[in-house]
Amino acid sequence: MVLETRVENTFEKTRAYPQELAETGHISLSQSDVSKLIGQLFIVKSSVNLESDMLSTPDFFWDNEVWEPIFRHACKYLEIDDRVIVVNKRLEVLDGMFQMLKDQLEVRHATRLEWIVIWLIVAEVGLEVVWNILIKDILGFFHDSC
């Protein structure tokens, strides 16, 4: 089945990322890269479950009932239902992996934002100290003469 090959190719292309995360503690993908992978996975999922005639009887067999038993027998012989189930399970595993990668990137982004906030607070405190202690008190500028 062509769809099985697409799922296997997707798995092979992305199999290194969980290993990289396990070994280094981070991944070399950007948020955009992970989003693209999730989009590609969605395309494959929709191909399997929405666009293909694997899960239902094609319209041709509704018009030509003589051929429908042969189609059903071929589906049974080729184990189409079982193969679609296996493909969907593999897609679920890939989806879980991509969600984990996305979560990892979101944590990395949130941590970066937290550090930015911390440094902004440090800068504000530093400027306040310089303004109030050095400029006003020590150098004597801007004294209120009450």
Side-chain angles (χ1 to χ4, degrees), residues 34-45:
V34 172
S35 295
K36 288 177 186 178
L37 289 171
I38 291 172
Q40 291 170 356
L41 180 66
F42 184 75
I43 290 170
V44 174
K45 275 184 176 181

Side-chain angles (χ1 to χ4, degrees), residues 80-94:
I80 297 296
D81 292 337
D82 294 337
R83 292 169 76 184
V84 167
I85 290 170
V86 169
V87 166
N88 276 322
K89 287 190 187 243
R90 288 181 179 171
L91 289 170
E92 286 175 18
V93 170
L94 284 170

Side-chain angles (χ1 to χ4, degrees), residues 73-122:
H73 183 68
C75 286
K76 186 176 180 182
Y77 177 76
L78 294 172
E79 301 174 333
I80 297 296
D81 292 337
D82 294 337
R83 292 169 76 184
V84 167
I85 290 170
V86 169
V87 166
N88 276 322
K89 287 190 187 243
R90 288 181 179 171
L91 289 170
E92 286 175 18
V93 170
L94 284 170
D95 187 47
M97 180 181 67
F98 291 158
Q99 290 305 319
M100 178 209 42
L101 294 175
K102 183 179 171 207
D103 291 346
Q104 180 68 24
L105 288 173
E106 287 173 355
V107 166
R108 183 170 70 184
H109 181 69
T111 302
R112 193 173 294 141
L113 290 175
E114 288 171 3
W115 276 108
I116 289 171
V117 168
I118 289 168
W119 283 112
L120 286 172
I121 292 171
V122 166

Side-chain angles (χ1 to χ4, degrees), residues 9 13 64 75 80 98 111 129 137:
N9 289 342
K13 282 193 271 185
N64 302 296
C75 286
I80 297 296
F98 291 158
T111 302
V129 166
D137 294 341

Side-chain angles (χ1 to χ4, degrees), residues 3-4 16 22 29 39 42 47 49-51 59 67 69 76 80-81 85 91 105 111 117 132 141-142 145:
L3 297 172
E4 288 172 324
L29 294 172
F42 184 75
S47 295
N49 294 302
L50 300 175
E51 297 171 7
D59 292 340
W67 298 105
K76 186 176 180 182
I80 297 296
D81 292 337
I85 290 170
L91 289 170
L105 288 173
T111 302
V117 168
N132 284 325
F141 295 119
F142 305 105
S145 53

